[in-house]
Amino acid sequence: MVSAPRCPGRSVAAAGGRQVKLGAYVTFQGGTWQVAAVAGASVTLVGEDGQTASVLASFLFADPEFTVVGSPATGVQPWGLLESVPERERERALAWQRHIREIETGLPDGPGSVGTPRPEYDPQRTSMAEREQAKADELARLGWPKASRATVRRMRARYHGQGLWGLIRRRKPSSATGQADERVVAAVLEALRRQRGRSKGTLKGLRELTGRILADAHGPGTVRVPPPSTFNRLARVLADPLEHPGRPARTATAPVRPFTPTVALRPGELVQVDTTRLDVMAVGEDGKPVRPELTIALEVATRSVVAAVLREEGTKAVDAALLLAEMAVPHVVRPGWPEQLRLAHAAVPYDRLLALDARLEQAAARPVVVPETIVIDRGAIFVSAAFLAACETLGVSVQPAPPRSPTAKGSVERTFGSINTLFAQHVAGYTGPHVLARGQAVQDETRFTVAQLQELLDEWITACWQHRPHDGLRHPLLPKKALAPNEMWGALLGASGYVPLPLGGGDYLELLPVRFHPVTGRGIRINHRTYDHTLLNEHRGRPCPAGPGGKWEVHLNPHDVRQIYLRLPDGHLHEIPWIHRDHVHAPMSETTWRHLRTTLNQRADREKHEAALAEAADQVLRRARPTTAAQPAPSRTTPGTHTAKAAPQPAGDQSAVSRYGGEAEDSLGALEARAQAEAQDMGADEPGAPPLPGSDALTLYDADQEAELW
């Protein structure tokens, strides 16, 4: 649109409010021209080569390449964007507009408005500098921040350059990560990448992993991990919602009862016991992945895990009975544990305790309590005769929880959640808290046996849980400070004291399940296993004078059937070994034995059958133990010679019968004959032929040599 010039013959207004004055340079039809004359609607231009041209102003402004050299190209103001601006900022911009109009024209509404200018803003009596200073003083009196003449001049320049939109305060566009350190962002992305495909853990576990990545990349303490709240926001921004979905909604199956916190004032006053599945896959005794069961005893007064037992399947009553003995005697420091995990370094009166119980010299930094009352659910293992008899022997009162009332054991239930988030999610084979959080290759990550997982759990409880501040532990003299379980135990010892319980190895044996068997001329026969020793010589074929039906009292540990314990007439329990115990170098449970019996068919007489079972049990347990694979020795082959390679056998994919055969000729002679036949097929009998690779595996098993390697 062409507007009439305010001074005909001198200038003409272009689109967007730009003034084309005499002498100005413009760009028109690909060249640079100077405005020589403006007469009405006609503009005379002079080119760089001296050529002149007279064009209509509307035609000049409509040219796509028309610009005024040295003048900013302002377009139509984005009035629609003002609606997206906060109301407070919009009102501020409109207020600045009225102030700037009053400075330039004397009236707040600009030229054409009705009214009389105030004396300090009258253009006829004051200069522009005086009006700017007067406006700065006025704004300062009104309480506007940073109201100075320089601010007023800057706002005038922004208004002339961008209009009302220039008076809007626009903050710099912030990125999704804000002002987070780029090194921290890179570490969070790396932690998320490592978690891809694995079971989903907690944000706290992700923060610990990020801290380890930063320490490995930049050195310990060089880059600090953001606080938990800042880190959680950063992780949610960087995480892919498709790979890290939220937790599913939980539905309530029972009305929520009022929660009453459990209070205990002295160590051992109240102990809560419960069992659950651990969120970790472990290698079972048969080489297959399993989820072990975790049974813990939580001392309520100090929130200490005084006992923890992992079992592959089906926690039995004997495990609950042994749990009592474990919490009542000191925990011995395992070989390889650091010196800081000893009780001597804990926040307890160690010297006074050592004077009462000498066993504490080799004890780990975990409380030892004699429980007064144990709170149990109505599980079969806790209401069994074995567990109740063990509690009666130790003088422990048993208190069953009300049915369908998980809040009655709220402390131990919450401890299970803490173990899963603080310990389990950092262990290989973590399954996640629910199905949607489970990784794609959990079974492939499994690398620890149940026994190894038990060692890790015991060390973690001693090193981490017992020294970690607990929000539920507050001392009356320090109400604002959360204490660790060991600190709370040390504080309560002064009020309740320490009562040692002289429970020895014989007491453990008394807590084992009892059964009765006759002593025959070949020993004691239990589930196709024969137990024999020279101690039985004078009792073979004789009835027990005190046993029911003339049978002898036998104590058997279902988690280690390599020996039994027989009560002889002297009143003591004596160890009677399995006749094939030297062939099984790791504890074997009754479950594994039943699995082997159903796998192997009885092919010969009883002695050979037991020998085959013992050898198969040893091989299964060897596969279950993860060991570091040895580097294969370089094979020496000659041209034209074939090398036999053994097919890989993944753990858990083949049963014992597939490895040792199901026919009667699976003996040492059959193996040697088979090896010779394979060697002939491979050309190993030819003169100068190299030895068959892997032939050392067919030699006799030397138990003494194996023991020396151990």
Side-chain angles (χ1 to χ4, degrees), residues 71-83:
S71 177
T74 57
V76 179
Q77 298 295 330
W79 301 107
L81 293 179
L82 292 177
E83 299 298 329

Side-chain angles (χ1 to χ4, degrees), residues 77-400:
Q77 298 295 330
W79 301 107
L81 293 179
L82 292 177
E83 299 298 329
S84 62
V85 176
E87 182 179 359
R88 182 177 180 181
E89 293 296 330
R90 187 165 57 247
E91 292 178 355
R92 178 179 178 276
L94 294 175
W96 267 113
Q97 185 183 38
R98 292 192 298 269
H99 290 308
I100 292 174
R101 285 177 176 177
E102 187 177 16
I103 293 173
E104 295 181 348
T105 64
L107 298 175
D109 296 332
S113 58
V114 181
T116 303
R118 290 188 289 178
E120 61 269 23
Y121 298 110
D122 190 353
Q124 304 296 332
R125 301 171 56 182
T126 58
S127 63
M128 180 63 69
E130 293 174 345
R131 296 196 295 272
E132 290 177 348
Q133 185 62 44
K135 180 59 67 175
D137 297 339
E138 179 185 356
L139 295 178
R141 290 193 300 269
L142 294 176
W144 284 48
K146 300 180 180 180
S148 62
R149 181 186 173 189
T151 303
V152 174
R153 295 182 62 182
R154 184 173 63 256
M155 298 302 290
R156 284 186 60 231
R158 292 174 60 178
Y159 179 71
H160 286 291
Q162 304 179 27
L164 183 61
W165 184 251
L167 301 178
I168 301 290
R169 287 189 301 185
R170 297 187 298 276
R171 296 177 174 86
K172 295 182 179 180
S174 58
S175 61
T177 58
Q179 300 180 356
D181 193 339
E182 296 181 357
R183 297 172 294 182
V184 175
V185 174
V188 174
L189 292 175
E190 174 64 18
L192 292 173
R193 186 193 65 79
R194 296 184 183 181
Q195 290 292 109
R196 189 176 297 121
R198 300 186 70 248
S199 302
K200 305 302 181 296
T202 60
L203 288 173
K204 184 175 182 180
L206 185 68
R207 183 171 180 266
E208 295 178 0
L209 178 58
T210 303
R212 291 196 295 268
I213 293 175
L214 289 174
D216 295 340
H218 307 286
T222 303
V223 181
R224 297 183 58 185
V225 183
S229 57
T230 305
F231 178 84
N232 295 345
R233 291 193 298 268
L234 181 62
R236 292 189 180 99
V237 169
L238 297 177
D240 188 351
L242 297 179
E243 296 182 359
H244 303 272
R247 296 196 173 191
R250 297 183 178 179
T251 58
T253 58
V256 180
R257 295 178 173 85
F259 175 73
T260 302
T262 304
V263 179
L265 302 179
R266 57 184 180 274
E269 179 183 359
L270 195 62
V271 176
Q272 297 179 358
V273 182
D274 202 359
T275 301
T276 188
R277 288 282 183 181
L278 191 65
D279 292 344
V280 175
M281 282 287 187
V283 180
E285 293 182 343
D286 58 352
K288 297 180 180 179
V290 295
R291 279 187 64 186
E293 283 189 352
L294 172 62
T295 304
I296 66 172
L298 182 74
E299 204 283 311
V300 178
T302 63
R303 297 301 195 277
S304 299
V305 179
V306 291
V309 175
L310 276 175
R311 293 305 180 199
E312 179 176 336
E313 62 176 43
T315 304
K316 298 178 174 57
V318 61
D319 301 322
L322 292 178
L323 202 71
L324 295 173
E326 184 177 349
M327 70 178 74
V329 298
H331 298 265
V332 181
V333 177
R334 308 288 178 82
W337 284 15
E339 187 69 20
Q340 290 75 14
L341 300 186
R342 291 183 176 272
L343 186 63
H345 299 275
V348 296
Y350 174 73
D351 295 335
R352 297 178 59 186
L353 293 177
L354 187 61
L356 298 175
D357 193 346
R359 297 174 299 175
L360 297 178
E361 184 177 1
Q362 302 297 331
R366 291 174 61 178
V368 182
V369 298
V370 180
E372 301 177 13
T373 302
I374 290 184
V375 180
I376 62 172
D377 55 16
R378 300 179 184 271
I381 62 174
F382 298 119
V383 297
S384 62
F387 180 76
L388 296 179
C391 291
E392 184 179 359
T393 302
L394 299 178
V396 179
S397 174
V398 179
Q399 177 182 336

